Amino acid sequence: MQDNATEVTAAGIARLAGVGRAAVSNWRRRHPDFPKPVSGTETSPSFALAEVEAWLREQGKLAEVPLRERVWQQLTGHPEGPAVALVHVGCVLLLVQERPTVWLDIDAGSDERLAAKLPGVLDGVLAARFGREPVNAAGTVNASSTANTSDAVNASGAVNASGPVNTPAPVHTPSGPQLLPSAPLLRGAAELAGELGARQTFEFLLGRYLDVHSRQYTPTPVELAGLMAELAGPALTVLDPACGTGALLRAVEARPHQTLYAQDGAPDLVALTALRLALHTRAAVRGAVGDTLRQEAYPELRAAAVLCHPPFNERNWGHDELAYDARWEYGFPARNESELAWVQHALARLADGGTAVLLMPPAAASRRSGRRIRADLLRRGALRAVLALPVGAAPPYNLPLHLWVLRRPDRTPVAPEVLLVDTGAFAGEARGGPDWQAVRDAALDTWRAFTRDGRLAERPGLARSVPVIELLDDDVDLAPARHLPPPAAADGVEQLAAVRDDLAATLRLTAGLTPPPAAPAPPARWPLTTIGELARGGALLLRTGAVPGAPGSSAGAAHARVPVLTDHDVLAGSPPSGTLPESDEEVVLTEAGDIVVPVLGGGSVARVVDAATAGAALGRNLVLLRPDATALDAWFLAGFLRGTANNRQASSYASTATRLDVRRLQLPRLPLDEQRRYGARFRALDEFEQALRQAGRLGEQLLRGMYDGLTDGTVEPH
């Protein structure tokens, strides 16, 4: 099987060559020998990857396709689709990790031999990791083999006393004909695993896949997943009944003899989650496909912990079919209370004394249709804590979501108080999300103190343990902010005084930085050049950002502490707020003196990277220009790139967006000394702009604090 079976789009070609989509279109028009489309449509054609690679190399536009890029293009161009291809890759990476010598043996031969040998080898590996009987050569279950018995653990730390929980295998062994088209991809993935490791290779490909299909999945940020797992505590058996891509189970602290259970309605997600967990941990992994509320896979399970990020606001969750289901111990959920159905499912699958942590929409704490169920959860001691998260903690990012911590009541007396925590004060100012370290510290500190003592001393504005009887009114409203006292008045007044002093100092600074009156001059007639010409001549280096800058991405091992400079950060003039995805994918790191330009949004913005921002990774929709200091002054370059007319002539317009072609931006050809004269003026304007922004932020903070203080009685109206 040749690589010609793998196809690549125009966007993929642009990524291979490190150019924009427009350049690929120009190549197709200008070069008669450019490869012809092999499939797709006239507006969205696909090309044979091998033909494209050969053409790019002949034209000197490509020295060699990076291995990780080749593997990714093979995966996206797989004839059965990228999800199927990723499952095949995950199976082989598990084989490479578990039995490397076996892989080396079957890899030494033709693609046909590889495809013929793999199913039998994979079946044994998958059976060992996912707890099912291997299949013999005839295709039937080997009756002499025994299932993994790690499931049959008693309720004190694991599953149940009645025996193992049997479910279908989460990953089915692909057949030889199914694997044959994947052979080049599988060899490439195994080679990449030799560089990165099997787990990191899968994380890289899975991260790319989820990023491309981001609208199809609701992610659970890694920081939030870690917090939920810590609130649940260490456990031998953990269930996620809405596993998605496995972020919650992946965050669970590893322990000997551990079993992780996953279920989801999407077969591809269950398979990918199972493979991800198997590559990440030595725990036994169980996965099942199906609608959890209608077709639960583990009705006999009694887990030590349940972690769940359920779908929100689902009306078609099974209300009509499940009216008499035994799981509704605390009341039958209304049609619009799907989240309370998930809460009761989690409680039903817990062992006595087990802990469940669920991510919930804030409306679930106060909707009148759910007040009876909330009341019963409180009376019987099942609901132990409600923690309000800051805005931006998880999608939907505009809502302050809640964490509900529940315990399956056992024989101990019912606790008379419930913990309410509000971490909303730790919301971040930029799109990078909240201050996760502060959120984690506040949540875990209050929860551990509460579980240790059974109550918590009042912490104004942050946490309070509330007597259950106080919550059992007509509304049974559990929103933490409605039951917490405001921050101490003295602290609030002192903080406002400090903000006012900072604002006064900033306004004085701003006044001093105000530009002098503009001196008129006749229109200049400079000879012009473009960024594209300067890049081709070596006067500057041009790089594009490809790192997802969305909040909540997890950090890779190689760059775990590297922040990402997002397009929003550049537009807002704020520090880097993004984080890297979990992969060892190469990133573009900024240096002091670089100029960063956003390509979307239609704004005239160019930011010179300073020492504080240097070292951040370049985010998506940004272009980095690194000038040769002997030929170009950075501030001169950034200043002329911000010209309104300059941006207008270099922009293209779609129906809903404006895109800037940075290569078409112009600047005058001036001697270096003259560049520096302009650069000094542009730098002074930038300092004035930063002071204005800081004054605006402090002014908003002072206004908000004054309004809050006057309305809650902590500030006197002088």
Side-chain angles (χ1 to χ4, degrees):
M1 176 66 62
Q2 300 297 316
D3 282 359
N4 285 329
T6 300
E7 299 175 8
V8 62
T9 64
I13 297 173
R15 188 161 186 163
L16 285 170
V19 298
R21 290 278 299 273
V24 178
S25 299
N26 288 336
W27 293 342
R28 293 183 64 196
R29 288 194 301 267
R30 293 167 50 194
H31 297 277
D33 61 337
F34 191 87
K36 304 301 180 185
V38 296
S39 66
T41 64
E42 184 176 349
T43 57
S44 182
S46 295
F47 307 82
L49 175 61
E51 294 178 8
V52 168
E53 179 188 352
W55 187 87
L56 291 172
R57 189 174 291 110
E58 289 172 4
Q59 296 292 321
K61 303 180 187 302
L62 178 70
E64 186 62 52
V65 178
L67 177 58
R68 67 180 70 209
E69 196 61 44
R70 171 190 288 275
V71 172
W72 171 247
Q73 295 298 344
Q74 289 174 331
L75 188 144
T76 56
H78 194 278
E80 296 299 321
V84 171
L86 193 53
V87 171
H88 290 179
V89 167
C91 291
V92 165
L93 290 175
L94 188 59
L95 171 63
V96 170
Q97 179 172 283
E98 303 272 316
R99 304 177 186 177
T101 56
V102 174
W103 164 256
L104 291 175
D105 176 62
I106 62 175
D107 183 40
S110 66
D111 288 353
E112 289 74 13
R113 178 179 180 270
L114 177 69
K117 291 273 191 182
L118 261 180
V121 175
L122 288 179
D123 195 67
V125 172
L126 298 179
R129 289 311 311 272
F130 302 130
R132 61 179 178 82
E133 292 85 350
V135 178
N136 62 28
T140 59
V141 173
N142 185 350
S144 64
S145 65
T146 58
N148 189 308
T149 59
S150 65
D151 295 338
V153 187
N154 63 34
S156 63
V159 187
N160 56 50
S162 59
V165 177
N166 295 312
T167 58
V171 184
H172 300 290
T173 305
S175 65
Q178 290 172 326
L179 287 168
L180 185 57
S182 303
L185 166 64
L186 301 180
R187 294 184 194 275
E191 184 181 352
L192 187 58
E195 297 180 5
L196 307 180
R199 180 180 67 84
Q200 287 290 60
T201 297
F202 190 74
E203 289 292 336
F204 159 67
L205 295 173
L206 178 62
R208 276 264 189 106
Y209 172 78
L210 295 177
D211 185 48
V212 170
H213 301 86
S214 58
R215 293 187 178 181
Q216 300 178 24
Y217 308 108
T218 302
T220 304
V222 65
E223 298 91 348
L224 176 57
L227 173 59
M228 293 173 67
E230 287 193 83
L231 287 169
L236 288 181
T237 53
V238 187
L239 166 69
D240 184 349
C243 66
T245 57
L248 291 175
L249 290 176
R250 192 174 177 278
V252 172
E253 179 186 346
R255 302 187 72 194
H257 312 298
Q258 192 174 55
T259 306
L260 305 177
Y261 292 87
Q263 183 172 356
D264 199 279
D268 290 340
L269 284 182
V270 173
L272 293 175
T273 291
L275 290 165
R276 187 184 196 189
L277 294 173
L279 286 163
H280 176 72
T281 178
R282 296 306 305 170
V285 177
R286 306 290 180 264
V289 179
D291 182 329
T292 296
L293 295 181
R294 289 186 174 92
Q295 301 169 330
E296 59 171 326
Y298 312 107
E300 303 302 321
L301 178 65
R302 296 296 178 268
V306 175
L307 300 173
C308 186
H309 178 173
F312 296 161
N313 303 318
E314 279 203 345
R315 297 184 68 85
N316 184 28
W317 58 268
H319 177 271
D320 296 336
E321 307 100 295
L322 302 172
Y324 301 102
D325 197 287
R327 288 171 291 181
W328 315 143
E329 293 183 55
Y330 303 88
F332 181 41
R335 190 182 300 276
N336 66 332
E337 293 284 2
S338 61
E339 297 86 8
L340 294 182
W342 286 97
V343 164
Q344 294 190 76
H345 173 81
L347 285 167
R349 294 298 140 253
L350 282 175
D352 289 347
T355 302
V357 182
L358 283 82
L359 184 66
M360 302 284 281
S366 56
R367 277 190 299 240
R368 289 189 62 79
S369 54
R371 65 188 186 277
R372 292 184 179 177
I373 295 177
R374 293 195 299 270
D376 209 30
L377 290 169
L378 291 171
R379 289 191 192 97
R380 297 174 59 181
L383 182 60
R384 304 300 300 121
V386 176
L387 295 86
L389 297 170
V391 171
Y397 292 109
N398 61 324
L399 292 178
L401 302 178
H402 291 177
L403 290 178
W404 286 24
V405 184
L406 304 108
R407 286 232 172 118
R408 177 80 180 174
D410 52 19
R411 295 182 179 85
T412 59
V414 174
E417 298 192 1
V418 172
L419 176 66
L420 300 181
V421 181
D422 187 356
T423 62
F426 305 122
E429 294 184 4
R431 284 194 313 183
D435 181 347
W436 277 111
Q437 187 60 49
V439 172
R440 178 184 175 277
D441 291 345
L444 294 177
D445 181 50
T446 53
W447 170 245
R448 288 166 180 166
F450 175 71
T451 54
R452 181 181 63 248
D453 303 329
R455 63 183 308 277
L456 182 76
E458 188 176 276
R459 302 185 185 183
L462 177 63
R464 175 190 174 203
S465 59
V466 182
V468 167
I469 192 65
E470 185 177 320
L471 299 171
L472 295 176
D473 54 16
D474 289 341
D475 295 323
V476 196
D477 192 330
L478 305 179
R482 293 173 183 165
H483 300 279
L484 298 180
D491 293 343
V493 171
E494 290 175 3
Q495 185 177 13
L496 286 177
V499 172
R500 186 180 183 280
D501 291 343
D502 289 344
L503 176 59
T506 304
L507 289 174
R508 289 193 294 270
L509 174 64
T510 305
L513 293 172
T514 302
R525 300 293 182 184
W526 295 306
L528 300 176
T529 186
T530 66
I531 294 298
E533 291 172 350
L534 291 170
R536 287 192 293 272
L540 59 81
L541 174 69
L542 187 150
R543 301 289 299 275
T544 57
V547 174
S553 300
S554 58
H559 306 289
R561 300 183 183 275
V562 176
V564 174
L565 184 68
T566 70
D567 56 343
H568 177 83
D569 301 330
V570 176
L571 293 169
S574 56
S577 64
T579 50
L580 289 176
E582 176 147 1
S583 75
D584 286 332
E585 185 175 4
E586 294 178 4
V587 297
V588 178
L589 298 180
T590 59
E591 297 179 3
D594 290 344
I595 297 94
V596 180
V597 183
V599 298
L600 294 181
S604 301
V605 178
R607 175 171 172 177
V608 178
V609 175
D610 57 16
T613 305
L618 189 67
R620 174 160 298 170
N621 299 323
L622 293 175
V623 171
L624 179 143
L625 306 175
R626 183 167 294 160
D628 179 352
T630 63
L632 287 171
D633 180 80
W635 285 101
F636 161 80
L637 177 58
F640 274 94
L641 295 187
R642 293 191 61 171
T644 302
N646 199 6
N647 274 259
R648 187 181 298 121
Q649 64 83 28
S651 297
S652 59
Y653 304 93
S655 58
T656 59
T658 302
R659 186 172 187 89
L660 180 69
D661 185 350
V662 175
R663 293 175 181 270
R664 291 171 54 189
L665 287 170
Q666 299 174 337
L667 67 156
R669 296 180 181 271
L670 296 178
L672 190 57
D673 288 343
E674 187 70 2
Q675 291 182 33
R676 288 170 178 162
R677 192 167 73 90
Y678 274 95
R681 187 64 182 273
F682 287 135
R683 185 166 192 166
L685 289 176
D686 181 77
E687 292 175 356
F688 176 61
E689 181 180 27
Q690 295 302 321
L692 282 176
R693 282 177 168 162
Q694 178 66 4
R697 285 192 287 264
L698 290 169
E700 290 179 1
Q701 187 177 350
L702 180 61
L703 278 172
R704 185 170 60 249
M706 289 297 296
Y707 274 112
D708 290 345
L710 288 167
T711 54
D712 64 22
T714 59
V715 172
E716 283 286 342
H718 295 298

